[in-house]
Amino acid sequence: MSADQEMLALLSGSIERYTTDHYDFQKRHAVLKGAQSYSEQAWRDYAEFGWLALTLGEDFGGLDADTTTLGPLMEVVGHRMLMEPILSSAVIGTRLVSLLGSAEQKDQILPTLIDGSVKLAVLDPGTPRFQWLTASKNRLTGTAPMVLHGDVADKFVMPAKDADGELQVYVVAAQNCSRKRYRLVDGRGAASVNFEGVVAQRLGTSNSAETVEAVLADVADEAVVALCGETFGIVRALVGATADYLKVRKQFGKALGANQALQHRMADMYMIQQEVGALTKAARLSMNQSHADRARIISGARSYIGRTARIVGNEAVQMHGGIGITEELDVSHYFRRLIVNAVLLGSLDHHFENFVKLTLASSKSQH
């Protein structure tokens, strides 16, 4: 469902108010330095506010949210650098369970996702990484070397090839796996997960490989668009922080913002922010098209947004000077978040190559 502008404004306002009051940089820093890689209290709050059910249908108390409805949430995820597994659990994992699971599986799993008692971690959908895992008689074998939020997951949602070589999606309880937990460069948790013939529950009993592949492609597109929204939130935060800094930081008796060269650089950053916002919107709107028609738009947006966001990050660090790389300033944390996001859900190079390939194919078909 695509929400109207009034509902989007209300959702955006409530998310912004909560994070302003309860998830500012200092409180996030406390989470970053804690034993857990996320805030348990924040996760409970998200469940209470209904954020974890946004992608579900009304039968489960959700909004059946599309990428436009998810936009305000994902932008705040970036703007506040939320540490919780919203993308992996509340967006990707929940969507896969709701689209592929049987009625019994949905009744069993979805309520635990809505109330936050279960967190999901997912191997990137839509990428060739599923080739690392194989399934035989509902037992999963293989190693997933980097699973975002795999350190805190209660269940894993894993695509794997079955004994017939067909792709299916399985749910595995975390206690049945062995995992090596670690922190990524931006502070979020991850894990290398080893599946040694562990018991797995296949999602759905009659899903064909073609159906599974189509669902994975759709959910992968939704996830990429959500990540574009998160990156847009980061870009807005960096542009705002840098503009504020240039207004108050003085050198030789004048604010840095009085320097014309820095004004030009700020103008370039602002233009990038506008471009990122426009491409994010275009990617969201393209989800109304078929996968074949939207793939070029989404890959092009993902590649351009990822690369230009890095330019904004570089400029923000440089214009803040030496403090731009310190642990105590949020700019360095945004920069690190961009580094990690650049390799999620397909690399920027992969999406650029896909964009070029699809553009050339489209051009040939028109002639």
PDB file of all heavy atoms in Angstrom, residues 237-259:
ATOM      1  N   ALA A 237      22.174  14.578   6.613  1.00  0.00           N
ATOM      2  CA  ALA A 237      22.813  14.850   7.899  1.00  0.00           C
ATOM      3  C   ALA A 237      24.199  15.450   7.716  1.00  0.00           C
ATOM      4  O   ALA A 237      24.580  16.398   8.418  1.00  0.00           O
ATOM      5  CB  ALA A 237      22.898  13.557   8.720  1.00  0.00           C
ATOM      6  N   LEU A 238      24.978  14.924   6.778  1.00  0.00           N
ATOM      7  CA  LEU A 238      26.327  15.431   6.541  1.00  0.00           C
ATOM      8  C   LEU A 238      26.315  16.845   5.979  1.00  0.00           C
ATOM      9  O   LEU A 238      27.121  17.696   6.382  1.00  0.00           O
ATOM     10  CB  LEU A 238      27.074  14.497   5.586  1.00  0.00           C
ATOM     11  CG  LEU A 238      27.567  13.184   6.179  1.00  0.00           C
ATOM     12  CD1 LEU A 238      28.066  12.250   5.085  1.00  0.00           C
ATOM     13  CD2 LEU A 238      28.672  13.434   7.202  1.00  0.00           C
ATOM     14  N   VAL A 239      25.405  17.120   5.052  1.00  0.00           N
ATOM     15  CA  VAL A 239      25.313  18.459   4.484  1.00  0.00           C
ATOM     16  C   VAL A 239      24.913  19.462   5.567  1.00  0.00           C
ATOM     17  O   VAL A 239      25.496  20.549   5.687  1.00  0.00           O
ATOM     18  CB  VAL A 239      24.305  18.494   3.318  1.00  0.00           C
ATOM     19  CG1 VAL A 239      24.030  19.933   2.865  1.00  0.00           C
ATOM     20  CG2 VAL A 239      24.826  17.671   2.145  1.00  0.00           C
ATOM     21  N   GLY A 240      23.935  19.090   6.387  1.00  0.00           N
ATOM     22  CA  GLY A 240      23.504  19.986   7.459  1.00  0.00           C
ATOM     23  C   GLY A 240      24.585  20.227   8.494  1.00  0.00           C
ATOM     24  O   GLY A 240      24.816  21.374   8.919  1.00  0.00           O
ATOM     25  N   ALA A 241      25.276  19.165   8.895  1.00  0.00           N
ATOM     26  CA  ALA A 241      26.330  19.300   9.910  1.00  0.00           C
ATOM     27  C   ALA A 241      27.477  20.158   9.400  1.00  0.00           C
ATOM     28  O   ALA A 241      28.035  20.987  10.143  1.00  0.00           O
ATOM     29  CB  ALA A 241      26.838  17.920  10.313  1.00  0.00           C
ATOM     30  N   THR A 242      27.842  19.990   8.139  1.00  0.00           N
ATOM     31  CA  THR A 242      28.955  20.756   7.572  1.00  0.00           C
ATOM     32  C   THR A 242      28.586  22.224   7.412  1.00  0.00           C
ATOM     33  O   THR A 242      29.387  23.122   7.710  1.00  0.00           O
ATOM     34  CB  THR A 242      29.377  20.168   6.218  1.00  0.00           C
ATOM     35  OG1 THR A 242      29.643  18.771   6.373  1.00  0.00           O
ATOM     36  CG2 THR A 242      30.619  20.854   5.681  1.00  0.00           C
ATOM     37  N   ALA A 243      27.365  22.495   6.955  1.00  0.00           N
ATOM     38  CA  ALA A 243      26.914  23.884   6.821  1.00  0.00           C
ATOM     39  C   ALA A 243      26.903  24.585   8.176  1.00  0.00           C
ATOM     40  O   ALA A 243      27.349  25.741   8.298  1.00  0.00           O
ATOM     41  CB  ALA A 243      25.525  23.925   6.183  1.00  0.00           C
ATOM     42  N   ASP A 244      26.421  23.897   9.206  1.00  0.00           N
ATOM     43  CA  ASP A 244      26.398  24.490  10.549  1.00  0.00           C
ATOM     44  C   ASP A 244      27.814  24.755  11.056  1.00  0.00           C
ATOM     45  O   ASP A 244      28.077  25.795  11.674  1.00  0.00           O
ATOM     46  CB  ASP A 244      25.664  23.562  11.516  1.00  0.00           C
ATOM     47  CG  ASP A 244      24.166  23.488  11.241  1.00  0.00           C
ATOM     48  OD1 ASP A 244      23.646  24.398  10.550  1.00  0.00           O
ATOM     49  OD2 ASP A 244      23.524  22.530  11.709  1.00  0.00           O
ATOM     50  N   TYR A 245      28.710  23.827  10.795  1.00  0.00           N
ATOM     51  CA  TYR A 245      30.089  23.986  11.269  1.00  0.00           C
ATOM     52  C   TYR A 245      30.768  25.192  10.614  1.00  0.00           C
ATOM     53  O   TYR A 245      31.468  25.969  11.275  1.00  0.00           O
ATOM     54  CB  TYR A 245      30.881  22.717  10.966  1.00  0.00           C
ATOM     55  CG  TYR A 245      32.333  22.784  11.390  1.00  0.00           C
ATOM     56  CD1 TYR A 245      32.693  22.701  12.737  1.00  0.00           C
ATOM     57  CD2 TYR A 245      33.343  22.945  10.449  1.00  0.00           C
ATOM     58  CE1 TYR A 245      34.015  22.765  13.136  1.00  0.00           C
ATOM     59  CE2 TYR A 245      34.675  23.013  10.843  1.00  0.00           C
ATOM     60  CZ  TYR A 245      35.005  22.920  12.180  1.00  0.00           C
ATOM     61  OH  TYR A 245      36.321  22.999  12.571  1.00  0.00           O
ATOM     62  N   LEU A 246      30.557  25.378   9.333  1.00  0.00           N
ATOM     63  CA  LEU A 246      31.186  26.499   8.626  1.00  0.00           C
ATOM     64  C   LEU A 246      30.642  27.843   9.094  1.00  0.00           C
ATOM     65  O   LEU A 246      31.318  28.873   8.967  1.00  0.00           O
ATOM     66  CB  LEU A 246      30.972  26.363   7.116  1.00  0.00           C
ATOM     67  CG  LEU A 246      31.647  25.163   6.434  1.00  0.00           C
ATOM     68  CD1 LEU A 246      31.411  25.203   4.935  1.00  0.00           C
ATOM     69  CD2 LEU A 246      33.144  25.123   6.732  1.00  0.00           C
ATOM     70  N   LYS A 247      29.450  27.835   9.660  1.00  0.00           N
ATOM     71  CA  LYS A 247      28.879  29.082  10.168  1.00  0.00           C
ATOM     72  C   LYS A 247      29.486  29.494  11.506  1.00  0.00           C
ATOM     73  O   LYS A 247      29.588  30.690  11.807  1.00  0.00           O
ATOM     74  CB  LYS A 247      27.360  28.929  10.328  1.00  0.00           C
ATOM     75  CG  LYS A 247      26.597  28.804   9.020  1.00  0.00           C
ATOM     76  CD  LYS A 247      25.126  28.520   9.283  1.00  0.00           C
ATOM     77  CE  LYS A 247      24.367  28.278   7.986  1.00  0.00           C
ATOM     78  NZ  LYS A 247      22.941  27.919   8.244  1.00  0.00           N
ATOM     79  N   VAL A 248      29.865  28.508  12.326  1.00  0.00           N
ATOM     80  CA  VAL A 248      30.326  28.834  13.684  1.00  0.00           C
ATOM     81  C   VAL A 248      31.843  28.758  13.846  1.00  0.00           C
ATOM     82  O   VAL A 248      32.410  29.412  14.730  1.00  0.00           O
ATOM     83  CB  VAL A 248      29.656  27.902  14.716  1.00  0.00           C
ATOM     84  CG1 VAL A 248      28.146  28.063  14.674  1.00  0.00           C
ATOM     85  CG2 VAL A 248      30.029  26.439  14.480  1.00  0.00           C
ATOM     86  N   ARG A 249      32.530  27.981  13.019  1.00  0.00           N
ATOM     87  CA  ARG A 249      33.983  27.845  13.135  1.00  0.00           C
ATOM     88  C   ARG A 249      34.654  29.056  12.502  1.00  0.00           C
ATOM     89  O   ARG A 249      34.403  29.390  11.352  1.00  0.00           O
ATOM     90  CB  ARG A 249      34.440  26.561  12.438  1.00  0.00           C
ATOM     91  CG  ARG A 249      35.957  26.359  12.459  1.00  0.00           C
ATOM     92  CD  ARG A 249      36.441  25.995  13.851  1.00  0.00           C
ATOM     93  NE  ARG A 249      37.801  25.525  13.825  1.00  0.00           N
ATOM     94  CZ  ARG A 249      38.875  26.306  13.950  1.00  0.00           C
ATOM     95  NH1 ARG A 249      38.747  27.622  14.122  1.00  0.00           N
ATOM     96  NH2 ARG A 249      40.085  25.779  13.904  1.00  0.00           N
ATOM     97  N   LYS A 250      35.491  29.727  13.296  1.00  0.00           N
ATOM     98  CA  LYS A 250      36.153  30.942  12.816  1.00  0.00           C
ATOM     99  C   LYS A 250      37.642  30.727  12.609  1.00  0.00           C
ATOM    100  O   LYS A 250      38.284  29.963  13.334  1.00  0.00           O
ATOM    101  CB  LYS A 250      35.928  32.094  13.793  1.00  0.00           C
ATOM    102  CG  LYS A 250      34.496  32.582  13.845  1.00  0.00           C
ATOM    103  CD  LYS A 250      34.337  33.819  14.709  1.00  0.00           C
ATOM    104  CE  LYS A 250      32.905  34.330  14.665  1.00  0.00           C
ATOM    105  NZ  LYS A 250      32.741  35.558  15.476  1.00  0.00           N
ATOM    106  N   GLN A 251      38.157  31.417  11.615  1.00  0.00           N
ATOM    107  CA  GLN A 251      39.590  31.404  11.335  1.00  0.00           C
ATOM    108  C   GLN A 251      39.995  32.807  10.888  1.00  0.00           C
ATOM    109  O   GLN A 251      39.356  33.394  10.007  1.00  0.00           O
ATOM    110  CB  GLN A 251      39.907  30.376  10.251  1.00  0.00           C
ATOM    111  CG  GLN A 251      41.388  30.084  10.081  1.00  0.00           C
ATOM    112  CD  GLN A 251      41.610  28.960   9.085  1.00  0.00           C
ATOM    113  OE1 GLN A 251      41.244  29.083   7.926  1.00  0.00           O
ATOM    114  NE2 GLN A 251      42.204  27.865   9.529  1.00  0.00           N
ATOM    115  N   PHE A 252      41.015  33.336  11.527  1.00  0.00           N
ATOM    116  CA  PHE A 252      41.459  34.700  11.249  1.00  0.00           C
ATOM    117  C   PHE A 252      40.320  35.706  11.440  1.00  0.00           C
ATOM    118  O   PHE A 252      40.178  36.671  10.685  1.00  0.00           O
ATOM    119  CB  PHE A 252      42.031  34.827   9.829  1.00  0.00           C
ATOM    120  CG  PHE A 252      43.123  33.838   9.532  1.00  0.00           C
ATOM    121  CD1 PHE A 252      42.955  32.889   8.533  1.00  0.00           C
ATOM    122  CD2 PHE A 252      44.303  33.832  10.266  1.00  0.00           C
ATOM    123  CE1 PHE A 252      43.949  31.963   8.267  1.00  0.00           C
ATOM    124  CE2 PHE A 252      45.299  32.913   9.997  1.00  0.00           C
ATOM    125  CZ  PHE A 252      45.128  31.975   9.004  1.00  0.00           C
ATOM    126  N   GLY A 253      39.497  35.452  12.452  1.00  0.00           N
ATOM    127  CA  GLY A 253      38.440  36.390  12.794  1.00  0.00           C
ATOM    128  C   GLY A 253      37.186  36.297  11.947  1.00  0.00           C
ATOM    129  O   GLY A 253      36.233  37.048  12.159  1.00  0.00           O
ATOM    130  N   LYS A 254      37.135  35.386  10.989  1.00  0.00           N
ATOM    131  CA  LYS A 254      35.974  35.233  10.121  1.00  0.00           C
ATOM    132  C   LYS A 254      35.470  33.789  10.151  1.00  0.00           C
ATOM    133  O   LYS A 254      36.257  32.857  10.306  1.00  0.00           O
ATOM    134  CB  LYS A 254      36.317  35.607   8.675  1.00  0.00           C
ATOM    135  CG  LYS A 254      36.596  37.089   8.451  1.00  0.00           C
ATOM    136  CD  LYS A 254      36.816  37.339   6.964  1.00  0.00           C
ATOM    137  CE  LYS A 254      37.046  38.814   6.689  1.00  0.00           C
ATOM    138  NZ  LYS A 254      37.251  39.070   5.239  1.00  0.00           N
ATOM    139  N   ALA A 255      34.168  33.670   9.979  1.00  0.00           N
ATOM    140  CA  ALA A 255      33.604  32.324   9.886  1.00  0.00           C
ATOM    141  C   ALA A 255      34.131  31.639   8.632  1.00  0.00           C
ATOM    142  O   ALA A 255      34.315  32.277   7.589  1.00  0.00           O
ATOM    143  CB  ALA A 255      32.078  32.389   9.842  1.00  0.00           C
ATOM    144  N   LEU A 256      34.369  30.320   8.732  1.00  0.00           N
ATOM    145  CA  LEU A 256      34.862  29.579   7.570  1.00  0.00           C
ATOM    146  C   LEU A 256      33.910  29.693   6.384  1.00  0.00           C
ATOM    147  O   LEU A 256      34.318  29.656   5.224  1.00  0.00           O
ATOM    148  CB  LEU A 256      35.063  28.107   7.925  1.00  0.00           C
ATOM    149  CG  LEU A 256      36.274  27.756   8.794  1.00  0.00           C
ATOM    150  CD1 LEU A 256      36.269  26.269   9.102  1.00  0.00           C
ATOM    151  CD2 LEU A 256      37.564  28.155   8.114  1.00  0.00           C
ATOM    152  N   GLY A 257      32.629  29.843   6.688  1.00  0.00           N
ATOM    153  CA  GLY A 257      31.636  29.938   5.634  1.00  0.00           C
ATOM    154  C   GLY A 257      31.772  31.179   4.780  1.00  0.00           C
ATOM    155  O   GLY A 257      31.159  31.255   3.708  1.00  0.00           O
ATOM    156  N   ALA A 258      32.565  32.141   5.216  1.00  0.00           N
ATOM    157  CA  ALA A 258      32.784  33.348   4.420  1.00  0.00           C
ATOM    158  C   ALA A 258      33.761  33.096   3.280  1.00  0.00           C
ATOM    159  O   ALA A 258      33.867  33.913   2.347  1.00  0.00           O
ATOM    160  CB  ALA A 258      33.300  34.484   5.307  1.00  0.00           C
ATOM    161  N   ASN A 259      34.483  31.979   3.336  1.00  0.00           N
ATOM    162  CA  ASN A 259      35.445  31.637   2.292  1.00  0.00           C
ATOM    163  C   ASN A 259      34.690  31.187   1.037  1.00  0.00           C
ATOM    164  O   ASN A 259      33.915  30.239   1.059  1.00  0.00           O
ATOM    165  CB  ASN A 259      36.358  30.514   2.797  1.00  0.00           C
ATOM    166  CG  ASN A 259      37.464  30.175   1.833  1.00  0.00           C
ATOM    167  OD1 ASN A 259      37.196  29.765   0.716  1.00  0.00           O
ATOM    168  ND2 ASN A 259      38.701  30.314   2.272  1.00  0.00           N
TER     169      ASN A 259
END
